Amino acid sequence: MPSPGRPGVNQREAKCAFWKRIAEGLSSEDAALSCSISQPVGSRWFREAGGMAPVNLAPHSGRYLSFAEREELALLRAQGHGVREIARCLARSPSTISRELRRNAATRCGMLVYRATVAQWKAERAAKRPKTAKLVKNDRLQEYVQSCLAGTVTDAEGRTIPGPCVPWKGRKHGRRVDRRWGTSWSPEQISSRLRVDFPDDETMRISHEAIYQALYIQGRGALHRELSAYLRSGRALRVPRARRQQRSKHFISPEVLISQRPADVADRVAFGHWEGDLIIGLNSSAIGTLVERTTRFTLLLHLPPMPGHRTSVRAKNGPALAGHGAEAVRDAIAGKMMTLPQHLRKSLTWDQGAELAQHEQLRIDTGLAIYFCDPKSPWQRGTNENTNGLLRQYFPKGTDISRYSGHELNAVATTLNSRPRKTLGWKTPAEAFKKLISSESWTSVATTP
């Protein structure tokens, strides 16, 4: 058996512990630290394995010698003890010890010398029983899967449309950049379609999980990892399910989730409860929207770009120069809300965008109770989503909305608040809102720049 160079010391147990931490949702660095492994090693293990555990995570059965037993065997052997005496000390059969000394001894020095690390490496290598992947054995099936994943895009006449040329970088595509064009069927679609296209051919069957493993575990030799660029997620590494489920913004705690919001807010019985969001335009321009849930009264936040936007390099950990960073949004909301009486600024429901990361300071400044929706749940802010759709008539997608002044935004808000609404009995939001405040306060709100 050729020498491995310097074999790893008890890597199997360390890798099992590492991948168990990964399955719990820890990052590669945190999982490595919890297992007393260096962070670069943990990151390398995760990257080389494609994000999928390459070892069996089942506990050691005790049938085979452990690394601790091999270390004890090496010490006893170096002290000159015989095979039967070592067997009695380890509570093992003498034939087990004899076979271990014969099979797994180091031979690099030209003679049999037993070392625990070399013996452990040899035992793990001999225990491997690699199974040939189905995609490797079946060329027809492999060709079908590859064509469904990375087949070319064609027009109605069958002519190839190449799409953008995107080099493979071994990592997930960035935001708002070109991606490769291809057939891009999902593994589940491929697996299910095989039964339709080949109903009588049982050899043309493969599960979607086997396709994922063929993409991300390169040791299987079935599919190149580069083909993962055609998946809709575009991930070059597979992300553990627990890590995806626990993803949340660091500034959001359980106390501010929408589940903690009072029930009367959902019933639209009480006044003064608002929903908010941002409308994003071209060149990272944005407008903030605030809608009162009961009256549908709308306020627009002017968020102009800061000096140096697109002309200078943003300072590290500095404010977002686009104008809709946490500080700018906090100040804009506070400026609008402080023009309202106290009984009309009770709560604000927002999505989990980072622009409201300073919600605690906003609560102190305005007295608003801040709540955040669940991830990917826009219906929990249905009033605001509907209002944003109405505002797109004035601020279409793909246009630069930073060119509008605060005065122009107030004019659009006044126009929207002057439309009669069926849900208000064909009254306007301005009329419904005006009943809630005095005429003096109403004037101050309507003329706020």
Side-chain angles (χ1 to χ4, degrees), residues 245-258:
Q245 292 175 346
Q246 71 178 14
R247 281 181 178 171
S248 62
K249 304 298 189 297
H250 66 278
F251 55 85
I252 298 178
S253 59
E255 294 78 16
V256 296
L257 291 177
I258 196 172

Side-chain angles (χ1 to χ4, degrees), residues 128-170:
K128 289 182 178 180
R129 296 293 185 270
K131 182 180 178 181
T132 304
K134 180 179 286 189
L135 290 177
V136 176
K137 296 186 296 183
N138 192 334
D139 294 338
R140 184 183 177 202
L141 179 61
Q142 182 182 22
E143 182 180 354
Y144 181 91
V145 172
Q146 287 181 344
S147 64
C148 292
L149 274 174
T152 58
V153 176
T154 59
D155 59 13
E157 298 178 359
R159 293 174 295 191
T160 300
I161 308 297
C165 180
V166 182
W168 168 249
K169 297 181 179 180

